[in-house]
Amino acid sequence: MRRRPGIQGIQRTAQARDHFKALGKDVAATRLEHMQAQMASFKENLEEFALKHREDIRKDPAFRAQFHTMCANIGVDPLASNKGVWAQVLGFGDFYYELGVQIVEACLATRPLNGGLMEMKPLMRFVNRRRGSKAEPITEDDVIRAIDKLKVLGGGFSIMKVGQQMLVRSVPGELNTDKNEVLRLAQGRGFISKKQLIEENKWQEARVVETLWSLLKEGIAMADDQGPGGQRLYWFPCLEASGATQAEVL
Amino acid sequence: MTDFDFPFFFNYPPYFTLQPVKETREKQVELWTELILRYCRQQRAYILSTSTADDNPLFYNRKIERRLNQDARLLFLGELVSRGNARWLDKDRRQCLVLWKKLQEWADTVYSLVRELGMQESVMTVDELSSGDEVAGTELEGAPHELLVEALKLLEAQGKAQLFSGEGDLGVKFF
């Protein structure tokens, strides 16, 4: 059969295209509707759950941690927006924002004394004291979450692990491995001597001297020239001291 | 002496060593000068020695066996002197008069007490101002001679008193 003249063919193709487009839109709209409905019911359920367990979430740190894990598993961040349902339902955003502010306060107040490094335990003591005895108890998990939220402010807040301890750092930058190692070895006692470092790590003296001096300059270490035999001890205000100032210096 | 509530840093050994890094030392000077003033005010102490032979519990913490050496004492007290909160009593800076009230405030205290007691126009010795029956129980009781003389000199410069040497002791007449 001879082909029809072109113009009609073109019109027909265009018609078909429009038709498909309309149909596609319909499908997309239905899917969107469906998804919206699903989201709504999901949100409703989650809200219902949160409301039902509101007290538990606020009061019980372990439950709170589990709630966070659950939310993370389904890809929801209850802290993502302070304006969202969570702030209204739980007053939850506020909880972490408040905690964040208290952490910042603690770090700033002690920064001149510890060079911007603080152990988790003293930090939590500081924050708990600030919150008063009537406030709900907080856990390490809460502190870590709150600090995570502080990161968006770009204030250089971060958590670092030294040995078994977690240290909260409130000044930008990083400790190199040598400094990290010095802090690790000083843990427990709260101080270390040059001799100890040379013996423990088999480092060259120059390396030890350089690392210690750099820690002094950053305000992380303080010098004490009245150690046994008049040797210089290096103290780290960010580490809790055992109280032994004379004993067991190698 | 009454119990004194020492701050945390008093039990932290490195604060008894002058810190080699400038920023840390500035903070250290700040903490110590504050402590010295507070301690002297509460203990009503007036004169501190820069000699390490002096075991003033303010400069020597037996519990942690740390003491301030002479350089540290000179630096902290010198800072107080430069702020007008202390005065060296000799040119070798061995003794330091700590003014936990400014000298002008001491002068005002002396002058208003004298007026209260109605002793203007009468002649007193300086020692009477700190140990006489009249001043018992007042703020001036037990004030060291050096402090009173400095305060009186200030009053003299303001035309409120006149100092003159009597028999072995300084006398003063208030106007």
Side-chain angles (χ1 to χ4, degrees), chain A residues 70-83:
Chain A
M70 186 187 86
C71 287
N73 282 342
I74 52 182
V76 173
D77 183 358
L79 298 178
S81 158
N82 199 25
K83 285 201 178 126

Side-chain angles (χ1 to χ4, degrees), chain A residues 112-113 190 213 216-219 221-228 232-233 235-239 241 243 245-246, chain B residues 8-9 11-24 27-28 31 60 63-69:
Chain A
L113 305 175
W213 178 244
L216 280 178
K217 272 208 307 218
E218 285 173 48
M222 288 181 79
D224 167 25
D225 289 337
Q226 299 175 58
R232 175 172 278 195
L233 303 181
W235 291 78
F236 302 92
C238 62
L239 300 178
T245 59
Q246 299 290 334
Chain B
F8 78 97
F9 78 84
N11 291 309
Y12 199 61
Y15 280 98
F16 285 82
T17 295
L18 272 188
Q19 290 303 302
V21 174
K22 187 167 154 272
E23 287 78 16
T24 320
K27 186 71 207 169
Q28 187 187 18
L31 288 169
Y60 177 36
K63 209 171 82 198
I64 59 168
E65 287 186 59
R66 294 292 189 277
R67 71 173 84 218
L68 286 185
N69 66 15

Side-chain angles (χ1 to χ4, degrees), chain A:
Chain A
M1 208 169 109
R2 207 171 65 87
R3 273 180 68 108
R4 287 167 203 254
I7 187 88
Q8 254 181 346
I10 289 168
Q11 276 171 351
R12 183 173 299 183
T13 325
Q15 265 172 10
R17 201 167 50 227
D18 285 350
H19 195 68
F20 280 131
K21 227 186 229 167
L23 199 66
K25 258 190 203 149
D26 263 6
V27 172
T30 326
R31 268 171 93 176
L32 193 68
E33 227 169 76
H34 192 63
M35 257 164 68
Q36 271 169 345
Q38 234 176 12
M39 278 304 291
S41 97
F42 172 68
K43 201 172 110 181
E44 208 174 288
N45 282 330
L46 204 56
E47 268 179 62
E48 222 167 79
F49 176 86
L51 255 181
K52 199 166 142 203
H53 297 284
R54 180 194 156 102
E55 281 310 293
D56 288 328
I57 292 171
R58 286 189 63 90
K59 293 261 157 62
D60 181 355
F63 193 87
R64 188 158 63 236
Q66 273 170 6
F67 179 71
H68 276 301
T69 320
M70 186 187 86
C71 287
N73 282 342
I74 52 182
V76 173
D77 183 358
L79 298 178
S81 158
N82 199 25
K83 285 201 178 126
V85 284
W86 302 105
Q88 287 152 22
V89 175
L90 291 173
F92 209 45
D94 288 347
F95 175 87
Y96 284 100
Y97 290 109
E98 196 180 284
L99 182 57
V101 170
Q102 287 157 352
I103 291 170
V104 172
E105 274 178 358
C107 291
L108 288 188
T110 56
R111 189 188 281 177
L113 305 175
N114 58 25
L117 273 184
M118 201 168 178
E119 258 183 326
M120 186 62 95
K121 279 194 202 107
L123 172 65
M124 284 175 60
R125 273 204 303 276
F126 195 107
V127 169
N128 272 322
R129 206 163 45 231
R130 166 79 171 68
R131 291 167 69 85
S133 55
K134 290 211 173 62
E136 305 92 30
I138 53 156
T139 60
E140 264 189 27
D141 182 71
D142 292 328
V143 173
I144 293 168
R145 255 169 228 292
I147 288 172
D148 200 50
K149 293 295 137 192
L150 289 177
K151 275 186 195 149
V152 289
L153 298 176
F157 278 80
S158 58
I159 294 178
M160 51 183 269
K161 217 168 158 129
V162 172
Q164 296 305 306
Q165 298 290 330
M166 276 197 272
L167 292 178
V168 176
R169 191 179 169 92
S170 61
V171 288
E174 267 178 24
L175 291 186
N176 64 26
T177 37
D178 279 6
K179 291 181 200 166
N180 212 306
E181 177 66 9
V182 172
L183 279 178
R184 193 184 66 76
L185 283 170
Q187 250 170 25
R189 279 187 305 264
F191 65 88
I192 203 158
S193 71
K194 206 170 82 182
K195 205 170 136 211
Q196 269 175 311
L197 268 180
I198 292 171
E199 279 168 15
E200 292 255 357
N201 277 355
K202 308 276 176 258
W203 284 356
Q204 295 289 312
E205 188 169 346
R207 186 175 172 188
V208 171
V209 169
E210 153 71 27
T211 307
L212 288 172
W213 178 244
S214 166
L215 283 165
L216 280 178
K217 272 208 307 218
E218 285 173 48
I220 292 171
M222 288 181 79
D224 167 25
D225 289 337
Q226 299 175 58
Q231 68 174 312
R232 175 172 278 195
L233 303 181
Y234 294 81
W235 291 78
F236 302 92
C238 62
L239 300 178
E240 285 198 279
S242 64
T245 59
Q246 299 290 334
E248 43 139 6
V249 179
L250 301 171

